[in-house]
Amino acid sequence: MTDCKTDRTIIDKTRNRYIKICGLTKLDQAMAIANMGANAIGFICVAKSPRYIDKQAIAAITSRMMANQTDQMLPDFIGVFVNASIAEICETVSYAGLTAVQLHGDESPEFCKDLRSQLINQDLFNIKIIKALRVKDDAGLNQAQLFTDHVDALLLDAYDPHLHGGTGKTINWQMLQSFQPKCPWWLAGGLSPENVAEAIAQVAADGLDVSSGVERSAGDKDLERVAQFLAIAL
Ligand SMILES: O=C(O)c1ccccc1N[C@@H]1O[C@H](COP(=O)(O)O)[C@@H](O)[C@H]1O
């Protein structure tokens, strides 16, 4: 079990944008991406995903990174969950040394509030909560306001009728031009080295999250594409 009582900030205001590279499964790639300056690496804790990684394998990566790297180079370790129970999330956070959780299913604002209490009750302090919303229209955006008191950041992803995430689909960015929730928010969904400059030009997100746009196959990142993405986005 890893010590997860670290205090890394989810939004570093000294930097322009917070960048998360998601869907990591390999230690060497996680280390390389951290050294490139990514603020966070994400692990998909969703058994049905082709990018699934179990808590033992995550712990093997996070513990090696914590042992090897200076604090400055250490990214946030974010676990992505879809409709998992609070008990399962807390257990994975504790075991795998996660510093944040991304809720990518149908979790309610009350669930986020209860999760916060349970994390603290279990001495899992400073674990950030990010609520992902899959938006297709303005109604989806209005829903975002319900979460802002209970989360550290919102993440907007593209809607897909069959998949929860990692779809490579983009949101209609024009719809997001006046999106200004009361908490930080990150843009996700189909970002890539080819389109990230245009995304940045169109929306004022505090952070960016990319997965399939920088990989060779599910869970196997293309480090050249990651470097290209970071060179534009950071
Ligand atoms: O990547 C997955 O397989 C996944 C599965 C279940 C929930 C979320 C998932 N990924 C998240 O999807 C978005 C966007 O990914 P992409 O860049 O469009 O491929 C990202 O937040 C991932 O964390």
Side-chain angles (χ1 to χ4, degrees):
M1 194 181 299
T2 338
D3 175 12
C4 58
K5 295 186 186 68
T6 51
D7 189 13
R8 278 167 269 156
T9 48
I10 205 79
I11 303 292
D12 181 349
K13 289 291 182 192
T14 63
R15 298 175 74 142
N16 288 338
R17 263 179 296 273
Y18 183 95
I19 311 295
K20 167 174 167 253
I21 309 293
C22 201
L24 274 288
T25 60
K26 299 173 193 300
L27 173 66
D28 59 333
Q29 295 186 352
M31 283 182 161
I33 289 169
N35 285 328
M36 287 179 201
N39 302 90
I41 55 175
F43 301 104
I44 305 294
C45 307
V46 182
K48 282 187 183 156
S49 166
R51 301 175 187 84
Y52 174 65
I53 175 167
D54 65 28
K55 65 184 179 194
Q56 290 82 3
I58 302 173
I61 294 175
T62 59
S63 57
R64 278 289 296 279
M65 288 179 73
M66 286 200 266
N68 283 9
Q69 293 188 264
T70 65
D71 252 3
Q72 246 180 347
M73 297 303 291
L74 213 49
D76 282 309
F77 299 129
I78 303 185
V80 178
F81 297 86
V82 169
N83 300 331
S85 68
I86 287 182
E88 183 190 336
I89 295 171
C90 290
E91 164 62 15
T92 308
V93 166
S94 170
Y95 191 97
L98 300 177
T99 61
V101 299
Q102 177 177 320
L103 305 175
H104 220 102
D106 308 309
E107 301 85 1
S108 65
E110 289 68 35
F111 183 93
C112 298
K113 191 175 166 197
D114 291 349
L115 174 60
R116 174 92 72 208
S117 307
Q118 274 305 314
L119 286 164
I120 291 167
N121 282 348
Q122 296 187 29
D123 290 348
L124 297 166
F125 300 111
N126 300 314
I127 306 299
K128 307 301 186 297
I129 300 176
I130 299 117
K131 176 66 186 120
L133 297 169
R134 291 164 286 132
V135 291
K136 58 179 170 186
D137 51 27
D138 284 340
L141 285 182
N142 293 339
Q143 204 203 355
Q145 310 300 341
L146 305 173
F147 288 89
T148 55
D149 287 342
H150 307 300
V151 301
D152 297 283
L154 287 165
L155 179 150
L156 300 189
D157 191 9
Y159 176 79
D160 181 282
H162 306 296
L163 293 172
H164 281 98
T167 63
K169 284 188 176 175
T170 50
I171 311 181
N172 173 4
W173 297 329
Q174 271 196 328
M175 196 171 77
L176 307 179
Q177 281 176 351
S178 54
F179 183 63
Q180 283 183 316
K182 282 191 292 169
C183 67
W185 75 277
W186 305 345
L187 177 67
L191 294 176
S192 69
E194 288 75 26
N195 68 10
V196 66
E198 181 58 27
I200 291 167
Q202 286 206 34
V203 303
D206 301 289
L208 300 171
D209 180 14
V210 60
S211 181
S212 56
V214 292
E215 66 188 6
R216 287 188 286 239
S217 60
D220 182 14
K221 297 299 158 193
D222 179 330
L223 295 181
E224 263 184 45
R225 287 183 65 74
V226 174
Q228 286 166 14
F229 186 91
L230 291 171
I232 300 165
L234 272 174

